[in-house]
Amino acid sequence: MSRLCTVLVLAACLVASAAAADFVVENASRRINLKNTWAKAIDTLKAKNTGGSDLSNFVVCYPESIASRIAVLKVLIKKEKQEVAPLQQAPQGAPAGVSCYQATFKSTVKKGATVDLDVVATVTGVFKPNPAKIAQGEKQYVEYYDNLYLLSPYEVTEQSSTVLLPTSDVRSFSPQDGGSKSGSKVSYAALGKQGPWAVQQLKVHFHHDKPFKRVNSLVREIEVSHWGNIYVEETYEIQNAGSQHTGKFSRLTYAHSPDGKTNSFPDVKAHLPAAAHSLYYKDIIGNISSSDTTHTSRETLIEVRLRYPLMGGWKTDFTLGYSVPLEGFLYRRPKGKLRLLMDLSTSFDDVWVEQLTTRVVLPEGAKHIKATLPFADIQQSWDKKFTYLDTAGRPVLVLSKSNVVPEQNKPFAVDYSFTFTGMMREPLLLISVFAAFFAAVALYNRLDFTITRDEKWQEGQAHDKALGLIQSLTEYWDREADVLDRLVRLAHSISNRPSADAAPASRQALEAELRPLDEQVGHAAV
Amino acid sequence: MIQSFIKRLFSPKSQELVLRLSILALVYLYAFSIRLFSVLRYESVIHEFDPYFNYRSTIKLVTEGFHEFWNWFDSDSWYPLGRVVGGTVYPGIMITAAAMYKVLTSMSAWVQLRDVCVFTGPFFAGNTALIAYLFGCELKDRGTGLVAAALMAVVPGYISRSVAGSYDNEAVAIFALLATFYLFVRSVRLGTVSSAALAAFAYLYMAASWGAYVFISNLIPLYVLVMIAIRRYHRRLYVAYTTFWAIGGLLAMQVRFIGSNHVTSHELLSFNVVWLGLQAWELLMWLKARTTTAQFARAIGTTIITAVGAVVGGVVLLTLTGKMTPWTGRFWTLLDPTYAKKYIPIIASVSEHQPTTWSTYVFDVHLLVFGAPAGLYFCFKSLRDSQLFLITFALTAIYFSGIMIRLMLVAAPAFVLLGAIAVSTTLYTYTAHLWEVEPVEGDAAASTAAAAAAGPTPVKKSKSKSASKSGGFAPLPYRRETAILVCALVMFGLVSYSRHCNWVTSEAYSSPSIVLISGWGPYRMVLDDFREAYYWLRHNTAPDARIMSWWDYGYQITSMANRTVIVDNNTWNNTHIATVGRAMSSNESAAYEIMRQLDVDYVLVIFGGLSGYSSDDINKFLWMVRIGGGVYKDHVQEKDFISESGEYTIAEGATPTMLDSLMYKASFYDFGNVMTEQSKPTGWDRVRQKEIARKHYELDHIQEAFTSEHWIVRIFSVKDLANRAER
């Protein structure tokens, strides 16, 4: 990051000193390729050093609307990439709304010499649907705006611009003068000599037959397990960024009419490593039952069918996961270091990613972690993740980048050190937990944990028992007294004849009642 | 030392222990793994309707904490009324799953909450089998316990609600129910306060889990009454019941949904009145011991009359003043099976509230249908307190299960326990004869197949015993052969039971019902339309969009689509449901008015005409009409939907009201242009096997917003009011 800053500051200083007129572009040929769902502008330039000294810097500029959406900007000399950095401040004389970049050549351009440059800009999300909303069955038209001329601080002697379109259905293009349409191509052959900062808006309004697959956010999580596996889980939110669908969605039309699908798409395709296995494809409410994989020796092709076809503006999300073995992705380095080599971004075709977050989860105990990244504008931060049997959490290196196109799916490397003891930590943890558990059980079975029955306890027991006995004895005696009392009353009542007749029976009953009571008293006494 | 250790290891006692433990472990595993068909065949996903609500509540509980959950007012359902979820929910299963999740994560096993919920059912099935073991031990002996555990593990009646993914109250409630019964029976035997308190805690778990806790709190008083009636009443029962009443009642009242109902509801009247009665009885006994017979006789008449009069008068007075709540419709249905059909169509409309057929009994308990009467016989033969409890439990549960299919769940454990007693007693009797060399009268000590298989020791013992005890009886011929035959028959029965359970689980109870699979092998078709449509709603409608659908799908929509619904499966407000039923059965413009009033943005209907999915809305439509007509008598009438020939049809001869209804128009929109089967006309409904009557029409106030791939879910957006025409 700090390196990037220095570069920027340096670049700014350089530009301030470098007068913009040191180069003259003798020939500029612009080819703007709009066939894909993002634009690719290739400017082939022949520049001559007309200044008084050798030069090693070249400035390229774009309108702000395009510059803010540039995913990749490459300056090539004979197919060799030169270093490019954005300029904080546009050079002097630049009109408003222009952003510039400075390329630093590897070898200087001698005074009076010419150099052949290829400036390639990949720009996403620059197609503006017009009409913004279409009904099912209508065609999708989009507009593209750019500068007709090479937007440059240098004088351009001769130039031409060509716009390559996906279809020949072009509603309009402007300016009309000097332009001609043939097939799916709009070209401005001879635009003549222009001074610096020549500005004229180019607008093309045309039918785009490809669905715009935009991944709003992608979170990739790469989890390394030294037991032989690397888990990759990618969570996508994907949206159709083309003309919005309006009105009704008829399944009948969708399924049966040729134009019912309009600008929608039902699936995306990904190229996973050939060694990928244990694939899964789900979202937060469960598996998505429809997808197809083909294994070849070079790759694993997975056709991910979304839950529903995405009409314009519709979105959905899903999670795709797979595992790859360590071989081919994790390498041993000198001094016990390890290097993980993985791709940075998505392996889906035809999508661009607005916000990419790649999380590299290293094993617990990994140290001296250092990443080597393919792009300067990737932000790094740290996090912790807990999975099975983690106590301190695994270190997570979080890489984030915005506006990523498939060609930027480059490998990145993470170097770290990890010891064998760290690898044995989890099994040892499990073993020790189980050992402790069994030991505890064994100990419990062999030791007597009952509270000691000392004399005091015995005494208390005896006391309680005696109390209970006395209570039950009292109860029996009460009942005995009651029966005896009734016997006495019976005896008293033998004065009249009827009761005298009944008396023996009553006496027997009362005696029968008395007998068990006696027994019980006897029991209690024992 | 080593020798003594080995000796101990091979002593019959330790062998029995090892054998018993390994049988229990196997039973547990069996109970768990038989319920995994759905996960293996489909995926780890929550099933059906109610489990989705439980799952959603569990997420709330885990992410926002107990306090938020307890006070949860859910504004995403029953729009615009909302629902006080915290106060109308049985939180047992959610708290269970959340606790398991927390424990697992704290032990650094970072599982997903959904997986915890999915496997709650199988986990508790294993626990229930263990409780059945303990109950069996309590009822008779360990052998009975083992048989009960094995039978319980796979009884289809319980599997139906506890397969993996069936994250429903019943999964834990049956465990709680059996645990309460077991602990109560145990406390009746022990007669201690602590054992009864334990039973009370099990009762709390049950009360927190399922509405059928009322069954417990009516069955236990009934048992007490039975004990009194057959003169088996004793002080231990008094201690057990009184403690259970006091602690259990207080605990159950802590569940918000129950609260003071535990005292004031008529459904729990017997629970409280029996307690009062017991106190009165004990008071009388106490008085009797302290007075003379004459005094007692004089006092008793007036006391009893006054007391009964006071209780009855009090109850009547409290009911009339509204302090006590009378029996609810569901309860009435249990006593009078025709009640719901007459008065509450919404209860009758649920398929699991239908009366049970005989085939269901064979399907759900199989062998035990025949085992249960035998078990009852054995129970009566050696009547113990615990067995008397089982008889009371079984007879009531079997009666209730005949009224509602759903209550098969409660009857299943009763069948299992009775069956276990029958099987184990039979085996116990006959295995003793198996090793007899010469025909001698036996009275074996070898308890069960398990114990008998443990080794030769018990056999020797039995022989010596039988030799000593056999007296004047002449031995019957072919005893050994008969024993072998009977044992073989029982084994055959058990094996076929187990095979049946496997088959039922695999065929009938393992479909998550949100994913449908038809055909197999290369012809396998996966219909994932529900989730397709719900996910579409989740991502492509306004976050506050309100969805009107029949109440069956309410829980699924709130959970999977995260959108507001008008009505859902918690059918607490009949009028609201009737309003939706009325909207569905009205013509488009009348329905539009209702939908405008309810702020409805989307209408969702389930339609099976293209795919052949038979439980769709058209087949449920008559219930919507009935429920709607139950409240809005002037607007919706069932006869308007019945054709002249007296059938309910969508084909030729369907009534104009039917063909104009919102339900018809939404279900069959565009369907008239589709060829569904070869050599059939367009618009051939594959569920009803008829050609629809009205084919080509446009919709005025709603428009098709989404239809899933196989047309099972159709979603229509409700249009705004049209601009006023300019003059």
Side-chain angles (χ1 to χ4, degrees), chain B residues 341 347-357 401-406 623:
Chain B
K341 204 151 212 173
I347 291 181
S349 77
V350 181
S351 63
E352 61 181 24
H353 291 165
Q354 304 300 319
T356 318
T357 55
S401 70
I403 292 167
M404 274 190 198
I405 294 181
R406 190 181 184 189
W623 285 111

Side-chain angles (χ1 to χ4, degrees), chain B residues 63-86:
Chain B
T63 52
E64 294 179 36
F66 187 73
H67 189 258
E68 279 297 310
F69 172 70
W70 203 242
N71 297 307
W72 184 14
F73 177 81
D74 180 17
S75 54
D76 287 355
S77 58
W78 294 93
Y79 183 87
L81 308 170
R83 174 185 170 194
V84 187
V85 175

Side-chain angles (χ1 to χ4, degrees), chain B residues 227-283:
Chain B
M227 288 285 274
I228 292 172
I230 62 166
R231 293 175 178 274
R232 277 173 163 259
Y233 174 75
H234 45 67
R235 281 285 164 78
R236 285 173 286 128
L237 179 63
Y238 174 75
V239 171
Y241 186 75
T242 315
T243 316
F244 182 77
W245 178 87
I247 301 180
L250 276 179
L251 288 176
M253 283 165 79
Q254 306 311 310
V255 180
R256 269 187 76 190
F257 194 23
I258 300 172
S260 61
N261 271 350
H262 208 273
V263 182
T264 59
S265 167
H266 275 191
E267 290 172 3
L268 288 135
L269 199 59
S270 63
F271 189 60
N272 301 314
V273 166
V274 165
W275 177 79
L276 271 179
L278 275 189
Q279 307 313 309
W281 177 257
E282 283 296 323
L283 184 71

Side-chain angles (χ1 to χ4, degrees), chain A residues 27-32 147-151 156-163 174-180 186-195 198 200-202:
Chain A
N27 192 350
S29 137
R30 304 200 68 203
R31 283 166 67 84
I32 304 165
N147 196 29
L148 176 63
Y149 305 109
L150 179 74
L151 190 60
V156 183
T157 321
E158 204 175 298
Q159 64 177 308
S160 66
S161 292
T162 313
V163 185
S174 70
Q176 294 267 329
D177 311 338
S180 68
V186 174
S187 42
Y188 296 86
L191 288 169
K193 185 175 174 175
Q194 299 289 339
Q200 181 168 15
Q201 193 184 51
L202 167 74

Side-chain angles (χ1 to χ4, degrees), chain A residues 5 25 111 120 338 355 385:
Chain A
C5 282
V25 178
K111 201 167 77 172
V120 184
L338 295 151
Q355 185 58 49
K385 189 192 174 186

Side-chain angles (χ1 to χ4, degrees), chain A residues 235-257:
Chain A
T235 304
Y236 291 84
E237 187 192 273
I238 191 165
Q239 184 166 21
N240 185 331
S243 309
Q244 298 246 332
H245 166 73
T246 182
K248 77 171 182 182
F249 167 75
S250 165
R251 179 60 78 163
L252 182 70
T253 319
Y254 180 84
H256 295 292
S257 333

